[in-house]
């Protein structure tokens, strides 16, 4: 976050993923239909099916465009904000509107898996408060461990 004229602005990785004009819309209950995803996966081009590499690249780009339009449609993350990335284009989203508001969702769409609620050990949806508190505990343990390591190395 950084201060801008009249308020705050998010910046950095993921800051542009949430459509701020759609935050009041309810987060969608479901993503693309399983049948749609399976049909699209079945059409994925394979290099060995092409005589020329350029044709394969063209077919793969066309397929990727269709995949992205299905999995990464702006409506899929209405009512949500990307909180952080986990690496390899995997993300964590906070749902702020709709029936799932206040919960954390895992985003593995880069790996072909739709958004899904993050669940705790009991199979219950993780709330923002739980997620953040857990992050703080882990961060504190990391800092304490590094502090102890530095002290023992002096």
């Amino acid at each position: 976050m950084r201060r801008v004229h009249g308020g705050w602005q998010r910046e950095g990785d993921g800051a542009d993923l949430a459509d701020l004009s759609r935050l009041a819309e309810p987060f969608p209950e479901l993503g693309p239909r399983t049948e749609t995803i399976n049909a699209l996966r079945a059409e994925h081009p394979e290099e060995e099916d092409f005589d020329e590499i350029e044709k394969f690249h063209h077919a793969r780009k066309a397929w990727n465009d269709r995949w992205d339009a299905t999995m990464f449609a702006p409506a899929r993350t209405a009512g949500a904000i990307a909180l952080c990335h986990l690496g390899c284009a995997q993300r964590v989203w906070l749902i702020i509107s709709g029936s799932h508001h206040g919960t954390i969702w895992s985003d593995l769409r880069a790996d072909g898996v739709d958004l899904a609620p993050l669940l705790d050990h009991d199979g219950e949806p993780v709330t923002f408060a739980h997620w953040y508190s857990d992050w703080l505990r882990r961060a504190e343990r990391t800092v304490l461990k590094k502090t102890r390591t530095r002290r023992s190395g002096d």
Side-chain angles (χ1 to χ4, degrees), residues 85-132:
H85 68 88
L86 303 173
C88 299
Q90 296 178 352
R91 302 187 182 282
V92 172
W93 289 78
L94 169 60
I95 311 308
I96 62 168
S97 62
S99 63
H100 298 286
H101 74 281
T103 60
I104 301 295
W105 283 51
S106 175
D107 182 356
L108 305 179
R109 292 178 293 169
D111 295 330
V113 179
D114 193 23
L115 293 160
L118 190 62
L119 303 176
D120 65 15
H121 297 294
D122 298 323
E124 295 296 319
V126 171
T127 64
F128 176 75
H130 177 83
W131 178 83
Y132 186 64

Side-chain angles (χ1 to χ4, degrees), residues 52 70 84 108 123 139:
E52 299 175 27
T70 301
C84 65
L108 305 179

Side-chain angles (χ1 to χ4, degrees), residues 22-78:
R22 301 184 82 164
L23 290 180
E25 292 178 32
F27 180 76
E29 294 285 327
L30 300 171
R33 294 173 45 128
T34 302
E35 298 82 16
T36 302
I37 299 302
N38 289 342
L40 194 51
R41 281 189 177 123
E43 297 172 10
H44 186 271
E46 300 297 333
E47 186 174 353
E48 59 269 7
D49 295 335
F50 292 84
D51 295 341
E52 299 175 27
I53 194 69
E54 290 87 20
K55 288 182 181 181
F56 166 68
H57 289 304
H58 179 71
R60 187 174 61 183
K61 181 183 180 332
W63 185 89
N64 283 337
D65 290 347
R66 289 176 38 224
W67 179 262
D68 289 351
T70 301
M71 294 299 282
F72 294 92
R76 186 64 189 105
T77 54

